[in-house]
């Protein structure tokens, strides 16, 4: 049995005036979302094993952002496993946040947790940072790491989604462009695989393909729309920040979304 919280896309910033032009004027500073996340998690009436953060921990690859992230994330009540996203510097993330006790930064890695194997992939690669290609050596590592789990149950995690969704802008601008290779590897292990957990697209989604479950949680800060025919990313101001509770029991995964209070610059 395993219970964890899935968070993503916190975009923590060391700049108190941070507000990028691609975010609606009404959206508050991203650190406020992380503060509300902390309050919500501290108030939960149950325990959990760890927190999984699937990337875009910080807004920019600036040391000040990672120092602020460390201050905030050390307050959380459980071990946290963090993956780099396209807004992150993986090197700064490792150097500033990883302590091997409370905060664990994972890139291409396999970690055993209570009999489960957490296999992670640093999904940044050549090409567009939002829609990268993975290198052959990364794909080979991922295949070997899944094989090394033997018959044990597996949880996979990465920042970018590897499969198509049917939403044009997500498939063309936000997906691992050679992600079909990753999906084939995952499909071969589907009987052991509890789920593939990712971020990047800033929205709550569950996608199933060939018996493999892909789960994204909302950003804690600002979320995006996804629907048939949508060709450009647009904000979804009606969807609040949030996180997921994931319970894995006897080969089944239960995923529940928790919403955070709606966050505006005046709130």
């Amino acid at each position: 049995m395993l219970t964890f919280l899935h968070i993503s896309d916190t975009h923590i910033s060391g700049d108190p005036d941070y507000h990028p032009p691609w975010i609606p004027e009404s959206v508050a500073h991203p650190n406020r979302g992380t503060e509300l996340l902390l309050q919500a998690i501290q108030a939960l009436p149950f325990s959990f094993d760890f927190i999984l953060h699937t990337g875009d921990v910080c807004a920019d690859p600036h040391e000040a952002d990672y120092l602020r992230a460390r201050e905030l994330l050390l307050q959380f009540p459980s071990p946290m496993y963090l993956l780099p996203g396209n807004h992150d510097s993986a090197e700064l993330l490792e150097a500033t946040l990883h302590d091997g006790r409370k905060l664990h930064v994972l890139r291409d890695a396999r970690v055993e947790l209570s009999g489960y194997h957490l296999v992670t992939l640093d999904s940044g690669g050549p090409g567009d940072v939002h829609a990268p290609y993975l290198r052959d050596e990364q794909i080979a590592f991922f295949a070997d790491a899944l094989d090394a789990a033997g018959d044990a149950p597996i949880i996979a995690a990465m920042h970018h989604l590897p499969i198509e969704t049917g939403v044009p802008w997500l498939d063309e601008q936000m997906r691992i462009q050679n992600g079909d290779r990753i999906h084939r590897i995952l499909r071969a292990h589907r009987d052991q695989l509890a789920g593939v957990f990712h971020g990047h697209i800033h929205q709550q989604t569950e996608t199933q393909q060939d018996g493999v479950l892909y789960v994204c949680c909302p950003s804690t800060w600002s979320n995006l729309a996804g629907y048939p025919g949508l060709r450009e990313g647009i904000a979804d101001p009606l969807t609040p920040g949030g996180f997921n509770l994931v319970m894995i029991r006897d080969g089944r995964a239960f995923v529940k979304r928790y919403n955070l209070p709606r966050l505006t610059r005046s709130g």
Side-chain angles (χ1 to χ4, degrees), residues 241-252:
F243 64 97
N244 284 347
L245 161 68
V246 183
M247 295 169 49
I248 300 174
R249 304 286 189 275
D250 300 323
R252 67 181 185 272

Side-chain angles (χ1 to χ4, degrees), residues 49 67 76 93 101 115 131 140 177-178 203 237 243 255 264:
D49 296 297
L67 292 173
F76 281 73
L93 192 65
R101 300 182 301 276
Q177 294 302 292
N178 56 346
Q203 52 199 277
F243 64 97
V255 181
T264 64

Side-chain angles (χ1 to χ4, degrees), residues 7-16 18 29-35 37-38 53 55-76 80 82 87-89 93 97 103 202 219-221:
I7 68 174
S8 200
D9 296 275
T10 48
H11 289 254
I12 296 167
S13 177
D15 178 0
Y18 176 77
H29 194 281
N31 294 8
R32 183 62 183 141
T34 301
E35 292 165 355
L37 174 68
L38 174 61
H53 192 315
D56 281 359
V57 177
C58 291
D60 290 308
H62 300 155
E63 185 178 16
D65 288 23
Y66 290 91
L67 292 173
R68 183 66 182 125
R70 181 176 175 83
E71 291 175 358
L72 288 169
L73 298 181
L74 280 174
Q75 299 178 53
F76 281 73
M80 186 180 295
L82 303 107
H87 280 262
D88 289 311
S89 160
L93 192 65
L97 272 75
L103 302 177
H202 287 231
S219 168
T220 56
W221 170 44

Side-chain angles (χ1 to χ4, degrees), residues 38 41-42 48 51 73-79 102:
L38 174 61
I41 289 176
Q42 289 176 329
F48 50 90
I51 300 171
L73 298 181
L74 280 174
Q75 299 178 53
F76 281 73
S78 180
K102 187 73 173 287

